[in-house]
Amino acid sequence: MRRLLNTVYVTNEQSYLYLDGENIVCKVDNEIKLRIPFENVENVICFNYMGCSPALMGKCVEKHIPINFVSPQGKFLAKVCGETKGNVFMRVRQIDIFREKGLLLAQNTMASKFSNTIQLIKRTLHDNSDLRENTQIQSVLELLKQKCTDIYDTKSIEEVIGIEGNCASAYFSIFNYLITNEKVPFVFKYRSKRPPLDPVNAMLSFVYTLATNEFASALETVGLDSYIGFCHKLHSGRVSLACDLVEEYRSVVERFVLTLINLRIVNESDFETDVSGAVWLNETGRKKVLTKWQEKKRTDYFHPYLKQKVSFGLIPYIQSNLLAKYVRGDLEEYPCFLIK
């Protein structure tokens, strides 16, 4: 298992990255802002317009450090990771197993997602006794519990996606109740994605993007093709397999965003609204979220399958490794990510 090293987040939109010996250097307006050795870098995520030098991209490819380019609003644009040199037989096996076992994988993934969502809601109820009698919340909990079982009666992945969509709609209908700090100025009405139309949706979309990039990078390290998924349909340029694995992990993102809101770590000044009505984190807001996300990744989580504590930042690598073992035939079943 690889060490958990740092992800370098480049948040200033006018920054430029270049190579200097064995260091990544960040420059803004001809002034050096950061110099960091390659040995301390696991991943690079750029929210800038200026990009980086070809020499740096070549060095990162050589050292197997992916560079992800994301718009300042959090939309994934591209990734530089070099030529795929993985085992071709592994990719063929991946396609074969996903065709044969895709429905079961999708069922297990969504069942684990529902279970993790239940745990998130229950945690809020545990900390806020006044919400325990809320009939709408209880109704959503019952729905999620029921669908953890019903999902295995489906006959196609399309049916699985349909159940997931209904559960997500019900869950987000009570999401605003999970914002328990009455002094918070934010109100969540419904899930809006492209574009996000309020600060809560802006944070959810932003951190979902971060998590998806991390899973895509992790899948590269174990030889799986992140563009070939079992649940999300194939789509040119979309890391469908990373999107599949993130489904199990979404409650972590949602709990993280709720914590930022309820502790008032973010506020109204951390967002901007463009002429279309879309709401985005500004540079200050992105820095706050990224700093706390890095802290979150260093906290411990007891993995029920490994039966040991691991850092949250290692979860993408652990789950990718477990999936690779399943694809190779070393495991009879892929153990989904579960929060106990």
Side-chain angles (χ1 to χ4, degrees):
M1 183 58 63
R2 61 166 49 192
R3 290 187 296 138
L4 176 61
L5 300 176
N6 286 328
T7 297
V8 175
Y9 296 99
V10 183
T11 61
N12 189 306
E13 298 170 17
Q14 302 306 316
S15 59
Y16 179 74
L17 299 182
Y18 65 94
L19 174 67
D20 184 11
E22 293 296 314
N23 300 285
I24 297 175
V25 179
C26 177
K27 181 185 292 186
V28 179
D29 296 330
N30 292 320
E31 179 182 352
I32 294 176
K33 297 291 186 179
L34 173 72
R35 181 187 298 272
I36 185 169
F38 278 100
E39 64 183 15
N40 294 333
V41 179
E42 172 80 12
N43 195 10
V44 179
I45 300 181
C46 297
F47 297 91
N48 58 338
Y49 291 119
M50 305 295 288
C52 59
S53 71
L56 176 62
M57 288 190 282
K59 190 73 168 181
C60 285
V61 167
E62 177 187 331
K63 291 185 172 291
H64 307 289
I65 299 172
I67 304 176
N68 298 274
F69 293 98
V70 182
S71 75
Q73 292 77 31
K75 180 182 178 182
F76 177 78
L77 300 174
K79 180 170 73 171
V80 176
C81 56
E83 179 184 0
T84 300
K85 298 180 180 180
N87 189 333
V88 65
F89 297 106
M90 177 72 157
R91 294 203 296 280
V92 171
R93 175 65 179 162
Q94 176 183 345
I95 295 170
D96 289 343
I97 200 72
F98 286 179
R99 284 175 174 168
E100 179 185 353
K101 301 291 187 180
L103 177 57
L104 179 60
L105 283 166
Q107 291 168 333
N108 288 342
T109 292
M110 293 310 170
S112 67
K113 176 182 181 177
F114 300 158
S115 175
N116 292 340
T117 303
I118 290 170
Q119 294 304 315
L120 184 156
I121 297 172
K122 284 184 173 180
R123 178 174 173 178
T124 300
L125 298 184
H126 179 271
D127 297 336
N128 299 269
S129 58
D130 56 317
L131 292 176
R132 295 172 193 169
E133 303 303 321
N134 185 298
T135 56
Q136 191 176 354
I137 293 177
Q138 291 301 325
S139 176
V140 171
L141 282 174
E142 288 303 317
L143 174 68
L144 291 170
K145 290 176 185 177
Q146 184 62 43
K147 295 308 178 183
C148 283
T149 302
D150 291 350
I151 200 78
Y152 291 100
D153 294 330
T154 55
K155 303 300 181 183
S156 68
I157 292 177
E158 287 74 21
E159 284 186 68
V160 173
I161 296 299
I163 289 177
E164 187 277 333
N166 291 333
C167 288
S169 178
Y171 165 56
F172 281 117
S173 74
I174 57 103
F175 196 77
N176 196 59
Y177 288 119
L178 307 183
I179 302 176
T180 55
N181 188 334
E182 296 180 356
K183 296 181 180 180
V184 169
F186 305 135
V187 175
F188 181 91
K189 295 181 179 179
Y190 56 89
R191 180 77 177 109
S192 56
K193 304 176 184 179
R194 302 178 184 86
L197 299 176
D198 60 66
V200 181
N201 275 294
M203 282 189 286
L204 286 171
S205 293
F206 183 75
V207 186
Y208 285 148
T209 297
L210 295 178
T212 302
N213 287 339
E214 289 165 8
F215 272 93
S217 296
L219 288 165
E220 290 280 347
T221 69
V222 297
L224 291 174
D225 190 330
S226 61
Y227 292 88
I228 302 174
F230 54 82
C231 190
H232 287 81
K233 290 184 177 180
L234 298 183
H235 188 281
S236 180
R238 181 172 70 183
V239 284
S240 296
L241 185 54
C243 293
D244 291 342
L245 296 188
V246 164
E247 293 294 339
E248 308 166 8
Y249 197 72
R250 282 183 181 270
S251 63
V252 173
V253 171
E254 291 147 10
R255 180 75 258 171
F256 171 74
V257 169
L258 287 168
T259 299
L260 293 183
I261 295 171
N262 288 325
L263 295 182
R264 303 192 70 182
I265 294 170
V266 291
N267 52 59
E268 291 174 297
S269 65
D270 296 319
F271 299 88
E272 59 186 36
T273 304
D274 64 24
V275 293
S276 69
V279 179
W280 311 104
L281 283 157
N282 58 28
E283 183 178 353
T284 301
R286 288 196 299 270
K287 286 181 178 178
K288 285 183 180 180
V289 174
L290 292 170
T291 298
K292 292 299 179 182
W293 184 241
Q294 285 295 87
E295 292 178 5
K296 172 68 177 178
K297 286 163 62 176
R298 292 187 176 93
T299 60
D300 288 336
Y301 157 78
F302 185 82
H303 199 290
Y305 181 79
L306 299 181
K307 296 184 175 7
Q308 67 182 68
K309 285 185 177 181
V310 298
S311 300
F312 265 104
L314 284 178
I315 296 299
Y317 297 95
I318 291 170
Q319 295 305 127
S320 297
N321 192 37
L322 291 172
L323 182 59
K325 287 180 179 293
Y326 170 69
V327 169
R328 290 195 300 266
D330 299 336
L331 294 176
E332 292 185 2
E333 190 170 355
Y334 163 65
C336 295
F337 171 74
L338 283 171
I339 296 176
K340 298 293 186 178

